Amino acid sequence: MSALKYNIFKAIDFLIKVESGPDKGRVYRLLPPQVTLGRDPSTCQIVLGDAKVSRQQCTIKFKDNVICEDLSTRKTTLVNGHPCRRTILKPGDRISFGDTSLVFETRSKAQPTPELGGQTQPTEEARNKSEGRKKFRLFLIAIIALFGVVLALQQENSAPPSENLATQEDLNKQIEASRERASLLRDSREEKIKLNDKKYLYSVEKHFISGFRDFQNGRYGRALDSFGTTIATDQTHARAQQYAKSARKKQGDLIDTHLRDGEKYKNKMMFNRCAAEYEKALVLITNVNSKRYDLAKAQLTECRLLKTGGYQ
């Protein structure tokens, strides 16, 4: 840009006036070296509210002339009704896209500038004034906030203590309510314990009764199993311990009876009866490592051999 052109740009205000569209009536000042128009506030200096406008619609550059370049992907920017690529703008030219129509104007800086209705690029003096107003507003907001904090503290300190503290009557009510809740919890816990005890006692007695019935019917081995389960569940069950002791003695006596009868039938050469008695003894003997078990097994083998003539 030549020095002559630069001085001319400094002496003239370049304006864009919106004649139609959502931003109708707004006037924007254009400042070198370029201004971009569109919907994207992050990349455009002049942001338009027309939904049909591209995010970056066009740019106006200040070189040796003022040039309008179309940035839209569909090339929708028109200057005086003609497609715009790189068009030199003259005062009074109309730029249009979407529902928006703009007029490019120039004005000497010596003349009064109309009130601007949109986003512009402010001068240095305007920026300084704006910064001063912002600082004053921040200072005023800080003073108001400080005054609010002081007022809140005064109200808190002036509040009567009785508003924050419970009365003696309230405390008594809270204590009584807490005691009632504790009592209900204790009752509930005791009921659960009693219920569990009932289930526990029912299980224990069930095994004992089953063992007692087997004991009465002479099924001492099964009775010992039931009594053993009862004692394992409740080691203080005296009746189960007493009957288990009796069942073991009676079972031992019954085993001895079968062993004696087996010997008796063997001597009488009644080998079928002999083998049957020793088989009964083996069923009743639970300890396979005992001497009784070895004796019954050996006698059973002998009776079977005698039965088949193995004695000849």
Side-chain angles (χ1 to χ4, degrees), residues 68-208:
C68 179
E69 290 186 7
D70 188 6
L71 301 178
S72 62
T73 55
R74 296 184 181 180
K75 306 303 179 184
T76 55
T77 304
L78 304 177
V79 176
N80 298 326
H82 300 288
C84 168
R85 293 185 180 177
R86 286 178 55 88
T87 303
I88 297 175
L89 295 178
K90 301 181 297 297
D93 283 348
R94 188 179 302 277
I95 306 170
S96 58
F97 36 73
D99 293 332
T100 300
S101 178
L102 312 170
V103 176
F104 174 67
E105 297 180 352
T106 59
R107 190 182 308 273
S108 172
K109 289 189 177 182
Q111 298 178 4
T113 302
E115 182 178 356
L116 302 180
Q119 298 177 356
T120 64
Q121 296 184 5
T123 63
E124 186 67 26
E125 181 180 358
R127 284 196 296 269
N128 292 336
K129 288 182 179 179
S130 177
E131 289 294 329
R133 285 194 295 269
K134 288 181 181 179
K135 291 180 180 179
F136 177 74
R137 283 197 297 268
L138 290 174
F139 175 74
L140 185 60
I141 291 171
I143 292 296
I144 294 173
L146 180 61
F147 177 75
V149 172
V150 172
L151 182 60
L153 291 174
Q154 289 179 348
Q155 290 178 348
E156 182 178 354
N157 293 332
S158 62
S162 59
E163 292 180 359
N164 297 326
L165 299 177
T167 63
Q168 187 64 38
E169 183 179 357
D170 292 336
L171 291 175
N172 291 335
K173 289 181 179 179
Q174 293 177 12
I175 293 171
E176 186 63 28
S178 179
R179 288 174 177 172
E180 289 180 1
R181 289 193 296 270
S183 178
L184 290 174
L185 290 173
R186 281 195 298 270
D187 293 342
S188 176
R189 181 173 178 273
E190 290 175 359
E191 287 296 326
K192 289 181 180 179
I193 292 174
K194 290 179 181 178
L195 181 62
N196 291 334
D197 287 345
K198 288 179 181 179
K199 293 180 179 178
Y200 169 77
L201 293 174
Y202 174 77
S203 175
V204 171
E205 291 303 316
K206 180 181 177 181
H207 290 296
F208 173 75

